[in-house]
Amino acid sequence: MSLSDQHRFAMQVAQLSRSWRAELDRRLAGLGLSQARWLVLLHLARFDELPTQRQLAQSVGVEGPTLARLLDGLEAQGLVSRQAVPEDRRAKKIALSPQAQPLITEIEAISTQLRLELFSGITEEDLSCCQRVHAQILSNLEKR
């Protein structure tokens, strides 16, 4: 693969990521949540046990202070709560409130619909090939 092909591929991946997220953000705008906030809710919903604030920050891929500000806003909206950890006074576990579940269900439905639209016309074989390529690139990144 030539350097120009690699460059073009890298630019396409970056554009795909930005455009996909922008379209999802546009479709979710009516829910009154910023992209950062709905992303935190989705990550939080995927934990089997209540995560600490640090675990949630790692999952979302943001710094602790950034997550703290997002959680402040979500807490003010009544969507999450922070719970003390008895064995570590500094740690807080993050819980979804009951009001968050219908919102998460709607976010997931909108996200699923968009994904169905975006994957239209793509064969399983093409998708498998793309997944292998992306997995190899991610593996190469992790070796750094």
Side-chain angles (χ1 to χ4, degrees), residues 3-52:
L3 286 177
S4 99
D5 286 340
Q6 291 172 356
H7 178 74
R8 193 170 23 262
F9 180 80
M11 297 300 287
Q12 285 176 334
V13 168
Q15 180 62 39
L16 172 64
S17 179
R18 281 191 304 274
S19 296
W20 190 327
R21 202 172 264 199
E23 178 59 19
L24 186 54
D25 205 32
R26 187 187 69 73
R27 292 182 185 206
L28 295 173
L31 300 180
L33 293 170
S34 68
Q35 183 179 108
R37 286 186 184 179
W38 60 253
L39 202 56
V40 168
L41 290 176
L42 286 180
H43 278 262
L44 190 51
R46 286 177 173 73
F47 278 91
D48 292 329
E49 295 181 15
L50 296 183
T52 62

Side-chain angles (χ1 to χ4, degrees), residues 20-143:
W20 190 327
R21 202 172 264 199
E23 178 59 19
L24 186 54
D25 205 32
R26 187 187 69 73
R27 292 182 185 206
L28 295 173
L31 300 180
L33 293 170
S34 68
Q35 183 179 108
R37 286 186 184 179
W38 60 253
L39 202 56
V40 168
L41 290 176
L42 286 180
H43 278 262
L44 190 51
R46 286 177 173 73
F47 278 91
D48 292 329
E49 295 181 15
L50 296 183
T52 62
Q53 197 162 315
R54 175 177 283 153
Q55 290 169 323
L56 183 58
Q58 288 173 335
S59 176
V60 176
V62 297
E63 296 295 321
T66 300
L67 181 65
R69 286 190 299 277
L70 291 168
L71 291 174
D72 288 343
L74 290 168
E75 204 166 25
Q77 287 180 279
L79 299 173
V80 301
S81 64
R82 292 175 170 115
Q83 300 176 358
V85 177
E87 58 275 8
D88 184 352
R89 294 182 315 151
R90 296 169 298 162
K92 300 280 187 216
K93 292 207 178 232
I94 311 303
L96 288 168
S97 69
Q99 301 91 294
Q101 197 51 57
L103 196 54
I104 290 168
T105 300
E106 191 167 354
I107 292 167
E108 288 177 340
I110 291 168
S111 177
T112 297
Q113 179 58 42
L114 175 59
R115 197 169 44 253
L116 289 171
E117 292 171 24
L118 295 179
F119 282 91
S120 174
I122 297 173
T123 66
E124 284 186 42
E125 182 181 328
D126 285 345
L127 184 56
S128 284
C129 177
C130 190
Q131 286 175 309
R132 282 191 309 276
V133 169
H134 286 192
Q136 183 61 55
I137 292 169
L138 286 172
S139 174
N140 293 343
L141 278 169
E142 289 171 1
K143 292 175 186 172

